[in-house]
Amino acid sequence: MKIIGIVGTNSAKSTNRQLLTFMQSHFANKAEIELVEIKGLPVFNKPEDKVLPDYVKELSDKIEAADGVIISTPEYDHAVPASLMNVLAWLSYGIYPLVDKPVMITGASYGTLGSSRAQGHLRQILDSPDIRARVMPASEFLLGHSLQAFDGNNNLVDQEKLDVLDGLFDDFLLFIDITKQLLNAKDAVRKEAENFSWEAE
């Protein structure tokens, strides 16, 4: 099983990156998780020639080839970071790698709520008509007080949180398998995404 883990921030130091790095190691016997960064991308500007940055095309190809995607997002002002919105805008402009792609959302934050509002915001974005990802339902992994969540070896110290993460990841692997059987409308859905325009008359 090949999974792309998107670090949902361009911050140099991030507990969301730490969480994905932990998952990459902890679940190594169940899946190969490749972490990808969203640093350095230009601000989305809707280029008329639809020429995409090379890194966007590389990321799109990786997502297309993967069985699933994990996005770990922090929360700023009750929303996902601008850098994450930016990469999702690029990934839905003339390319559609996330159509019907199974997605698991996780999030870490310094406070108590563990990016709960940002996760809700991200679900809304991923359900938009030009992205159309299949986000695993009824699941949230919320890692609050994330600065204290890991030990010196980058292991989660809270066993209850680890138990929740273990269960959700197993559910995600099952969700990926189920999603592979729910693709009867994939071509039609992709065509709808390709033909969708906010400017259509």
Side-chain angles (χ1 to χ4, degrees):
M1 191 77 75
K2 178 66 183 289
I3 296 172
I4 297 298
I6 298 177
V7 180
T9 176
N10 58 359
S11 297
K13 183 178 181 181
S14 169
T15 52
N16 282 279
R17 184 180 295 106
Q18 222 176 335
L19 174 58
L20 286 175
T21 301
F22 168 74
M23 293 175 68
Q24 182 183 47
S25 172
H26 184 67
F27 297 122
N29 63 330
K30 296 182 178 181
E32 178 188 349
I33 302 176
E34 178 184 352
L35 269 57
V36 296
E37 300 282 351
I38 59 173
K39 300 176 182 179
L41 277 179
V43 175
F44 179 71
N45 60 358
K46 199 176 182 182
E48 292 184 7
D49 58 8
K50 293 196 175 182
V51 174
L52 305 174
D54 288 342
Y55 185 72
V56 172
K57 290 184 281 188
E58 291 171 12
L59 178 54
S60 176
D61 289 344
K62 287 182 178 184
I63 292 172
E64 289 269 19
D67 296 292
V69 174
I70 302 171
I71 304 176
S72 195
T73 180
E75 180 173 316
Y76 298 120
D77 301 326
H78 292 180
V80 301
S83 55
L84 180 52
M85 292 182 67
N86 186 51
V87 74
L88 291 173
W90 281 117
L91 287 171
S92 58
Y93 189 60
I95 52 175
Y96 307 93
L98 286 165
V99 169
D100 279 331
K101 186 66 63 174
V103 176
M104 175 182 180
I105 298 175
T106 65
S109 72
Y110 298 168
T112 302
L113 297 179
S115 81
S116 60
R117 292 183 179 92
Q119 290 195 32
H121 183 214
L122 182 53
R123 285 177 180 274
Q124 183 180 13
I125 295 170
L126 292 172
D127 194 42
S128 65
D130 24 21
I131 295 184
R132 300 204 180 200
R134 287 190 183 266
V135 184
M136 185 166 69
S139 64
E140 287 183 317
F141 183 71
L142 307 170
L143 186 62
H145 303 293
S146 57
L147 285 174
Q148 296 83 39
F150 301 94
D151 64 19
N153 295 316
N154 199 46
N155 292 312
L156 276 177
V157 297
D158 186 329
Q159 185 60 48
E160 289 185 5
K161 278 291 182 185
L162 181 56
D163 291 343
V164 170
L165 184 60
D166 283 343
L168 287 176
F169 189 77
D170 285 344
D171 285 348
F172 184 53
L173 297 182
L174 179 60
F175 180 68
I176 289 173
D177 285 338
I178 292 172
T179 301
K180 288 178 180 177
Q181 303 174 48
L182 301 176
L183 299 179
N184 293 313
K186 181 172 183 177
D187 291 342
V189 169
R190 187 183 183 95
K191 188 173 182 179
E192 281 187 351
E194 291 172 351
N195 293 333
F196 180 81
S197 172
W198 293 102
E199 300 169 0
E201 295 181 358

